[in-house]
Amino acid sequence: MRIVIALGGNALLRRGEPLTAENQRSNVRTAARSISTVVPGNEVVVAHGNGPQVGLLALQAQAYQAVRPYPLDVLGAQTEAMIGYVIEQELGNLLPKDQRLATLLTMIEVDPHDPAFDDPTKFIGPVYLREEAERLAAELGWTVKPDGGAWRRVVASPRPRRIFEIEPIRWLLEQGVIVVCAGGGGIPTVLDEEGILHGVEAVIDKDLASALLAEELGADLLVIATDVDGVYLDHGTPQARRLGTVSPAELARHDFASGSMGPKVEAACGFVERTGHQAVIGSLEDIEAIVAGTAGTRVTPAAAMVG
């Protein structure tokens, strides 16, 4: 099968964990062990989040006052290369020595008039207590919002429209290369009225970008790997129950948190509806079972059961 695996931010950094290179490498090493189990016999593409990493780079840029901070599209490109390097290295250490891997910086077009620019929702950077978050917002011109029991910076998250490097990604896959791409949702770019391409201050949702990537590659399966074993109804209550096999229509009857499971459900449903193929939301640790069809919440065009 041709499989696109979208690694959630937890694959790179646990919530509240210090943003150190050592912690990120340790988490990627764990993710690589899971991914390596599904490489034999399949074509594999890996996408990943970058919220904590791009936020950290933005904070570091604020500490150097001699020049203006680099824009988010440039920081996104930096995180794509950094995270791709670690994923390549850790996967390569587990796979046969003749297995080729490549990280491809990926520019993704967004609409400059997307309403997301007027309502920032994408969390980046570390978590703060409310008082500290509001102080930073006042000092640095940020927008901050609650994220669970903490507060974080939010930036615009426009919808992905087109992946500029889709042909090179396809060529690499056809040559047996494991491709790491669309990291952090890809580098957000826009075409101006003269047809000139340039970056924009935003961060694209990784799950929506991964769904577009899977669609344009003709993937057989989209795996959205996170830190829970599936999609739950009544999450956090005694009545919580995990959905097994489910259709997009069934999922559409329920509301999911916009800052966590909502984009994952939207991405999975969109991919299934547009392609007729399957998507699974589940735990990174269960990727082998997910590909085998025995774990996670499986979204299918016409689900035979829900449970």
Side-chain angles (χ1 to χ4, degrees):
M1 291 193 295
R2 179 170 288 183
I3 306 169
V4 171
I5 300 173
L7 297 178
N10 63 286
L12 305 171
L13 200 72
R14 307 289 178 181
R15 176 176 285 270
E17 195 173 38
L19 288 158
T20 67
E22 293 79 12
N23 284 339
Q24 293 176 74
R25 180 173 289 277
S26 176
N27 290 328
V28 169
R29 186 175 295 127
T30 299
R33 284 197 290 268
S34 295
I35 296 170
S36 67
T37 64
V38 301
V39 168
N42 295 310
E43 295 179 344
V44 176
V45 181
V46 180
H48 58 81
N50 74 339
Q53 291 77 18
V54 77
L56 175 62
L57 288 181
L59 283 172
Q60 291 174 336
Q62 292 286 346
Y64 181 61
Q65 300 295 321
V67 298
R68 293 183 61 183
Y70 283 16
L72 286 174
D73 60 301
V74 174
L75 301 184
Q78 291 177 347
T79 62
E80 272 201 275
M82 174 184 70
I83 296 168
Y85 155 68
V86 179
I87 291 174
E88 272 195 56
Q89 197 170 76
E90 294 301 329
L91 261 179
N93 286 335
L94 296 170
L95 296 172
K97 296 306 179 185
D98 61 351
Q99 174 62 61
R100 293 165 292 176
L101 300 99
T103 295
L104 194 65
L105 293 181
T106 314
M107 294 187 293
I108 295 184
E109 182 184 9
V110 301
D111 183 350
H113 305 295
D114 191 306
F117 287 107
D118 297 321
D119 181 24
T121 59
K122 181 66 175 177
F123 292 110
I124 66 169
V127 297
Y128 302 100
L129 297 176
R130 179 171 184 169
E131 182 178 351
E132 185 179 9
E134 291 178 342
R135 177 182 63 79
L136 289 169
E139 290 179 1
L140 303 176
W142 290 358
T143 299
V144 296
K145 290 184 179 180
D147 180 16
W151 285 69
R152 294 177 72 190
R153 181 186 177 188
V154 290
V155 298
S157 182
R159 299 184 68 84
R161 301 175 65 183
R162 175 168 49 147
I163 299 172
F164 287 103
E165 289 81 8
I166 196 67
E167 285 299 327
I169 295 169
R170 188 176 292 116
W171 297 336
L172 288 167
L173 276 179
E174 291 169 353
Q175 296 302 313
V177 179
I178 296 172
V179 184
V180 183
C181 61
I187 304 165
T189 58
V190 296
L191 287 167
D192 63 23
E193 295 178 354
E194 298 179 353
I196 303 300
L197 186 68
H198 55 87
V200 66
E201 191 79 351
V203 173
I204 302 170
D205 182 82
K206 170 265 305 175
D207 297 309
L208 296 180
S210 298
L212 177 62
L213 175 68
E215 178 185 354
E216 294 196 356
L217 287 175
D220 301 291
L221 181 67
L222 169 63
V223 177
I224 299 177
T226 183
D227 57 354
V228 294
D229 62 352
V231 179
Y232 280 79
L233 298 182
D234 301 318
H235 182 66
T237 72
Q239 294 76 38
R241 65 185 182 97
R242 184 178 65 82
L243 298 174
T245 302
V246 63
S247 69
E250 168 63 18
L251 286 172
R253 292 198 286 268
H254 305 283
D255 292 324
F256 299 96
S258 60
S260 55
M261 190 57 71
K264 295 173 175 55
V265 169
E266 181 184 355
C269 289
F271 172 73
V272 171
E273 290 172 333
R274 291 189 298 268
T275 67
H277 296 161
Q278 297 187 8
V280 185
I281 301 171
S283 172
L284 174 64
E285 299 174 353
D286 297 334
I287 282 183
E288 188 172 14
I290 284 172
V291 173
T294 60
T297 295
R298 185 167 296 266
V299 186
T300 69
M305 66 176 184
V306 176

